[in-house]
Amino acid sequence: MVHVDDHATPRVLVIGSGIAGILTGIELRARGLTDFTILEKADTLGGTWRDNVYPGVACDVPAHLYSFSFAPNVHPTTRFASGPQLWDYFREIAERYRVTEHIRYGTEVADARWDGSRWTVTTTTGESLVADVVVSAVGRLQQPSLPDIPGISDFRGRVFHSARWDPAADVDGARLGIVGTGSSATQMTVATAPRVAHLDLFQRTAQWIFPMDNTPIPWWRRTLMRLVPGYARRYRAGIKRWVDEIGRAATGDPRAADERRQACVDALNTVRDPDLRAKLTPDYEVGCKRLVISGEFYDAVQRDNVEVVTAGIQRVEADGVRTTDGELHELDTLVLATGFHADAYLRPMTVTGEDGITLDDIWADVPMNYKSVALPHMPNFFLINGPFSPGGSASVLSIIEIHVGYVMQLIDRVVADRVALEPDPDRSAELLAAIREQASKTVWGTGGCSSWYLDRNGVPLVNPILLDDLAADMAHPEPTDFHAVPR
Ligand code: NAP
């Protein structure tokens, strides 16, 4: 039995003030549901774009698509926006839509507990907050994965994760080491290679690089976007169609996959030195890992002051990194661009739902959920961009808009019918089994690589669905998939 506390409008707690938290706030306000607080552990908003400030940080989804559909970003002067430009955009949007006034900073959630009628959310300082609805907007890539390399604490220089850039680190004229060759490392390589004395890029696995130049947006187009009603939206829609086409390759369209593969191979073949080209040649299928998108990476690693180090890292010493071939790579700064614990979504938070069932119970085998937005046995606990959201190079903005739109319809029903909603466990399991089955047949599951898409059993934690299909599937909640109890 599920009952909602008899409160006129629901009190909502949103966890996280990144893009998903900001949009949730905008949509709650648009519904007149102003009794909500966004809990943010840091001292400012912005999620990814607050945390990632490494040199060269940018979004490799074209900037006009990486903006809310109702507020096209007309400012970018190049195809890809930089991290600081995106942070400015989201902060401006949060101000404009009066979300900022709902954010409580320095408040980290430790625990959430359902008592049969409402949620009690406890912070890491022991404070308790009560809510009828909890929305988790915590993001999938926010817990840095730190490699277990012996000797790291012996290093005399600066060492930090790419998402925890040390503002005191000065790369100009320095000897820089970067561990990893994912999107973060490649963006950082392109930006720092011309500035450093020497760069060692420690590559464990070569990456496929999809070439896309950061072309300027001509002045006349930017003017049209500002002055002509509807132009920015039409331009954004055009870019969306083009990016969706790339997405088709990930979801199994053989023609799109061939085109994508050929583009990556052609880009790789621009590397002149055959030994370097061999080092940079992946031994798995294009798209198995999340594609790195860059028109400049291969130029950067062909510079005289850059070395791609493929010998394994043995240990870190006071003066640098010792590789398994015995060589010591002397460094001033070592950046661990080693990715994130995508499988730690919501963790280390503990969540206890009806009948004492915990998140650890329902996620013991696989992060069970309903369409990435709701959890069985967790009434009125909703997720944005939860596990099994689409992967590939899809714009996370589009995914978040679809998820928030769906969750808002659930909340509409919570308000209108005075109920608490939880997805049917069997239906959740059935839908998830179908997603996992499909995903395991895609290049993410069969492509012969390891990646943050995969769970510990090697099954992709992503949904191989095109965004238009996701939007159609999630246009309206299926009432019979949810249990609701009137109060
Ligand atoms: P990542 O793609 O997970 O890459 C981590 C890198 O670190 C890999 O090259 C990995 O090697 C290496 N690595 C991990 N542990 C290591 C160890 N112990 N020793 C040596 N190498 C190690 O991480 P990321 O680059 O931060 O990107 C994560 C995701 O963030 C991306 O896939 C993307 O979704 C998102 N992102 C997006 C953008 C954008 O522009 N939209 C920019 C940055 C990041 P292996 O391959 O061998 O595991």
Side-chain angles (χ1 to χ4, degrees):
M1 284 284 281
V2 184
H3 296 279
V4 172
D5 198 355
D6 191 13
H7 198 78
T9 57
R11 294 156 295 185
V12 183
L13 286 176
V14 181
I15 308 173
S17 69
I19 304 165
I22 293 169
L23 184 59
T24 303
I26 292 171
E27 291 297 336
L28 286 170
R29 284 191 63 94
R31 285 165 156 71
L33 300 176
T34 51
D35 191 359
F36 73 93
T37 304
I38 301 178
L39 306 175
E40 171 54 58
K41 65 182 174 189
D43 57 7
T44 179
L45 59 82
T48 288
W49 305 111
R50 174 199 61 219
D51 291 345
N52 287 274
V53 294
Y54 56 78
V57 62
C59 182
D60 63 16
V61 174
H64 298 87
L65 184 57
Y66 199 87
S67 62
F68 290 128
S69 56
F70 56 87
N73 188 354
V74 296
H75 301 300
T77 53
T78 49
R79 175 185 276 161
F80 304 122
S82 69
Q85 286 170 338
L86 290 168
W87 196 24
D88 284 347
Y89 169 78
F90 289 112
R91 281 186 301 184
E92 195 273 314
I93 292 284
E95 276 297 332
R96 197 197 306 170
Y97 289 87
R98 297 186 54 190
V99 172
T100 321
E101 61 201 68
H102 293 268
I103 305 177
R104 235 184 93 169
Y105 293 109
T107 309
E108 182 169 3
V109 174
D111 179 69
R113 193 167 290 267
W114 176 254
D115 69 5
S117 62
R118 59 186 187 170
W119 286 96
T120 299
V121 170
T122 308
T123 69
T124 50
T125 58
E127 186 186 357
S128 288
L129 304 158
V130 168
D132 302 295
V133 175
V134 176
V135 180
S136 162
V138 296
R140 278 193 291 174
L141 298 172
Q142 50 97 25
Q143 292 192 37
S145 167
L146 292 168
D148 189 15
I149 304 173
I152 280 200
S153 57
D154 299 336
F155 186 52
R156 270 202 292 257
R158 294 179 192 281
V159 55
F160 45 85
H161 187 270
S162 54
R164 299 288 180 270
W165 186 267
D166 181 345
D170 183 6
V171 297
D172 290 312
R175 296 164 304 175
L176 178 67
I178 299 176
V179 182
T181 50
S183 303
S184 303
T186 51
Q187 289 180 348
M188 206 182 300
T189 298
V190 169
T192 58
R195 294 170 51 190
V196 295
H198 186 81
L199 170 59
D200 282 315
L201 181 63
F202 296 96
Q203 171 189 283
R204 185 165 69 180
T205 310
Q207 286 273 0
W208 285 110
I209 312 284
F210 186 83
M212 216 191 275
D213 289 328
N214 194 12
T215 46
I217 310 286
W219 65 268
W220 56 265
R221 189 177 293 264
R222 281 183 277 132
T223 309
L224 283 175
M225 276 194 241
R226 277 200 314 277
L227 300 181
V228 178
Y231 183 84
R233 278 194 177 77
R234 282 201 302 281
Y235 182 63
R236 185 182 186 281
I239 295 176
K240 180 178 175 302
R241 280 194 295 278
W242 176 59
V243 171
D244 283 353
E245 193 57 24
I246 301 174
R248 273 178 208 291
T251 51
D253 180 314
R255 181 196 49 78
D258 281 352
E259 282 175 14
R260 188 174 68 163
R261 180 171 201 288
Q262 198 54 52
C264 292
V265 170
D266 290 347
L268 178 64
N269 284 335
T270 63
V271 176
R272 294 177 295 277
D273 173 8
D275 292 337
L276 179 59
R277 197 164 61 238
K279 275 185 182 180
L280 294 168
T281 304
D283 61 359
Y284 54 86
E285 281 182 51
V286 173
C288 180
K289 290 175 184 285
R290 197 273 193 188
L291 264 196
V292 171
I293 295 176
S294 176
E296 297 157 290
F297 176 71
Y298 288 134
D299 288 340
V301 293
Q302 290 183 87
R303 293 175 60 97
D304 291 342
N305 66 335
V306 177
E307 186 186 354
V308 177
V309 180
T310 51
I313 296 174
Q314 190 174 59
R315 62 177 181 271
V316 177
E317 300 180 2
D319 294 326
V321 168
R322 176 86 58 187
T323 43
T324 49
D325 55 6
E327 192 176 338
L328 176 66
H329 301 264
E330 292 189 34
L331 302 170
D332 302 305
T333 297
L334 178 62
V335 184
L336 308 169
T338 45
F340 300 87
H341 290 292
D343 56 347
Y345 185 89
L346 273 172
R347 269 61 176 268
M349 211 181 298
T350 48
V351 186
T352 307
E354 61 182 8
D355 302 326
I357 295 173
T358 66
L359 190 67
D360 284 350
D361 292 332
I362 59 173
W363 283 8
D365 183 31
V366 62
M368 171 62 59
N369 63 58
Y370 177 88
K371 297 192 178 188
S372 309
V373 294
L375 297 166
H377 309 293
M378 304 287 172
N380 281 359
F381 193 107
F382 304 124
L383 318 174
I384 309 299
N385 195 25
F388 295 100
S389 293
S393 299
S395 169
V396 78
L397 263 282
S398 306
I399 298 167
I400 286 171
E401 286 197 359
I402 294 166
H403 283 178
V404 171
Y406 190 93
V407 167
M408 287 302 139
Q409 293 182 65
L410 294 177
I411 293 177
D412 286 345
R413 195 170 155 208
V414 166
V415 175
D417 298 351
R418 313 197 103 198
V419 292
L421 294 173
E422 59 178 319
D424 179 76
D426 293 336
R427 180 72 177 137
S428 302
E430 182 191 342
L431 290 173
L432 195 63
I435 291 171
R436 294 183 82 211
E437 164 78 10
Q438 270 178 299
S440 64
K441 293 182 196 149
T442 64
V443 67
W444 301 320
T446 62
C449 73
S450 70
S451 79
W452 65 261
Y453 289 155
L454 302 175
D455 69 11
R456 59 178 181 274
N457 303 313
V459 179
L461 283 164
V462 282
N463 186 352
I465 187 169
L466 293 172
L467 289 186
D468 285 345
D469 295 337
L470 184 77
D473 181 54
M474 298 190 75
H476 303 291
E478 185 59 61
T480 53
D481 284 356
F482 287 86
H483 297 299
V485 174
R487 58 173 165 144

